[in-house]
């Protein structure tokens, strides 16, 4: 199978790494990719949100499966453009991707499907914003209605900070704060059948002990030893399947990756948000444990044959990933700094630990790999349990050098019984 992956972050590197180990994949391409993906796939230049350009590239490469990784191309309709050429695509239509593209749309779908979520208000004026903030009180949860690259949500005790964020958005969803631990659960669907993957937990705050501003994610781990063994089945029945059924009922079937961000509250499971694609950094740990060939799973979703796929196979190992971020992230990051230690990790820590690139590129003049974004890379490791995976991940991370960078030191520590 010839596969084309669209995107260039750690999520796409994790996808490409898994596909490169898949014996059914005969050719692997990525556009635009990054410095790490270039080691396992042939890179191509393309505007990832230009549906016609992506479809042309897929036809030229004779791709038999196109995987659209990031949210912006999905909301822009790139999957529709490729699908219109008769090429199987893993990724929802633009209409279905509004489940991530608009918080208000997602709330409407959940209400119609009876999916448990936080009470909320959609606000478009300062008066509506003030009324909603007063109604819920602190902690304040304020979400930009549209896409914001993982930075559209503010959770704060400071009403002025909450109001300032709300006023900076064209449309904003203000909702009640949900207590309890958070869980990320991915599911692959072809619009009818829903196949849940293994749950993971990510760490949104920039600094240890969940302090600092929200980020796109600073690390993750899987499995969750503290979670109810029935959690996945419960979420499938109360959240995932009803959502897919409702979208199909509306004439906008969702085919691709449905990501449910969940809070395990004192009143039960509640949906925090939906995404329409694999999430970073949870993808890194979930795919590290998947043993079913990835091309078979995603290809079945793209061709409407998930019901015939055998049950997924998983490793018993645990997986941990730790994100290395640029100086000043999640503010305006400093870029162009050389990254050292990548070869040392590959030589001394593989296959138990490895680096997945996100914001990286090769300097044209020096040939060095340099930082090119806020979240630069993640170090992913597996082990017999979370403690072993943590030890491997942080040992490998210790070989990485990037001036001014920062990372959390407590990823999976509590779940591993280390804090």
């Amino acid at each position: 199978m010839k596969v084309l992956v669209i995107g260039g972050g750690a999520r796409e590197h994790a996808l490409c790494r898994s596909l490169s180990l898949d014996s059914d994949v005969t050719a692997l391409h990525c556009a635009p990719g990054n410095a790490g993906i270039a080691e396992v796939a042939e890179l191509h230049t393309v505007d990832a949100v230009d549906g016609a350009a992506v479809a042309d590239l897929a036809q030229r490469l004779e791709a038999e499966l196109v995987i659209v990784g990031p949210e912006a191309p999905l909301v822009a309709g790139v999957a529709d453009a490729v699908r219109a050429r008769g090429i199987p695509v893993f990724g929802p239509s633009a209409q279905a991707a509004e489940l991530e593209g608009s918080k208000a749309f997602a709330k409407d779908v959940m209400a119609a499907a009876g999916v448990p979520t936080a009470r909320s208000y959609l606000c478009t004026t300062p008066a509506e914003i003030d009324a909603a903030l007063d109604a819920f009180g602190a902690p304040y949860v304020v979400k930009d209605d549209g896409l914001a690259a993982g930075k559209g949500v503010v959770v704060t005790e400071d009403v002025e900070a909450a109001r300032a964020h709300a006023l900076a958005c064209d449309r904003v969803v203000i909702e009640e704060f949900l207590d309890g631990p958070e869980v990320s659960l991915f599911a692959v669907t072809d619009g009818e059948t829903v196949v849940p993957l293994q749950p993971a937990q990510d760490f949104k705050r920039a600094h240890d002990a969940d302090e600092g501003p929200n980020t796109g994610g600073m690390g993750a781990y899987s499995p969750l030893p503290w979670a109810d063994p029935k959690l996945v089945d419960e979420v499938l029945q109360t959240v995932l399947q009803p959502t897919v059924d409702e979208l199909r009922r509306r004439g906008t079937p969702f085919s691709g990756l449905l990501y449910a961000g969940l809070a395990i509250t004192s009143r039960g499971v509640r949906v925090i948000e939906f995404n329409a694609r694999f999430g970073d950094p949870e993808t890194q740990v979930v795919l590290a444990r998947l043993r079913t060939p990835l091309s078979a799973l995603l290809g079945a979703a793209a061709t409407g044959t998930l019901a015939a796929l055998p049950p997924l196979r998983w490793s018993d190992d645990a997986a941990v990933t730790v994100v290395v971020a640029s100086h000043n992230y999640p503010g305006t990051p400093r870029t162009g700094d050389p990254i050292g230690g990548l070869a040392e990790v590959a030589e001394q820590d593989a296959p138990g630990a490895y680096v997945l690139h996100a914001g990286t590129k090769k300097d044209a003049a020096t040939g060095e790999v340099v930082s090119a974004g806020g979240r630069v890379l993640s170090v992913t490791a597996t082990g017999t349990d979370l403690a072993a995976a943590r030890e491997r991940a942080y040992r490998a991370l210790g070989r990485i050098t990037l001036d001014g960078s920062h990372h959390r030191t407590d990823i999976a520590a509590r779940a591993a019984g280390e804090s």
Side-chain angles (χ1 to χ4, degrees), residues 239-271:
V239 174
L240 300 170
Q241 192 71 57
T243 300
V244 169
D245 291 344
E246 172 61 19
L247 287 167
R248 187 175 67 253
R249 186 192 69 77
R250 294 180 178 215
T252 57
F254 188 105
S255 173
L257 195 289
L258 178 58
Y259 165 120
L262 309 165
I264 313 301
T265 77
S266 56
R267 295 174 292 149
V269 174
R270 297 288 186 271
V271 175

Side-chain angles (χ1 to χ4, degrees), residues 85-166:
R85 305 282 183 96
I87 302 170
V89 184
F90 183 79
S93 67
Q95 285 184 304
E98 279 297 289
L99 202 61
E100 177 171 4
S102 169
K103 306 293 189 301
F105 176 77
K107 289 289 187 181
D108 184 66
V109 170
M110 284 187 272
V115 170
T117 187
R119 294 180 297 120
S120 64
Y121 295 101
L122 173 64
C123 305
T124 58
T125 69
E128 290 174 344
I129 288 168
D130 289 340
L133 293 173
D134 287 343
F136 289 129
Y140 303 99
V141 182
V142 183
K143 299 180 175 180
D144 191 331
D145 180 54
L147 295 180
K151 299 176 185 177
V153 179
V154 166
V155 181
T156 179
E157 297 278 348
D158 184 343
V159 67
E160 291 305 320
R163 189 172 191 272
H165 181 68

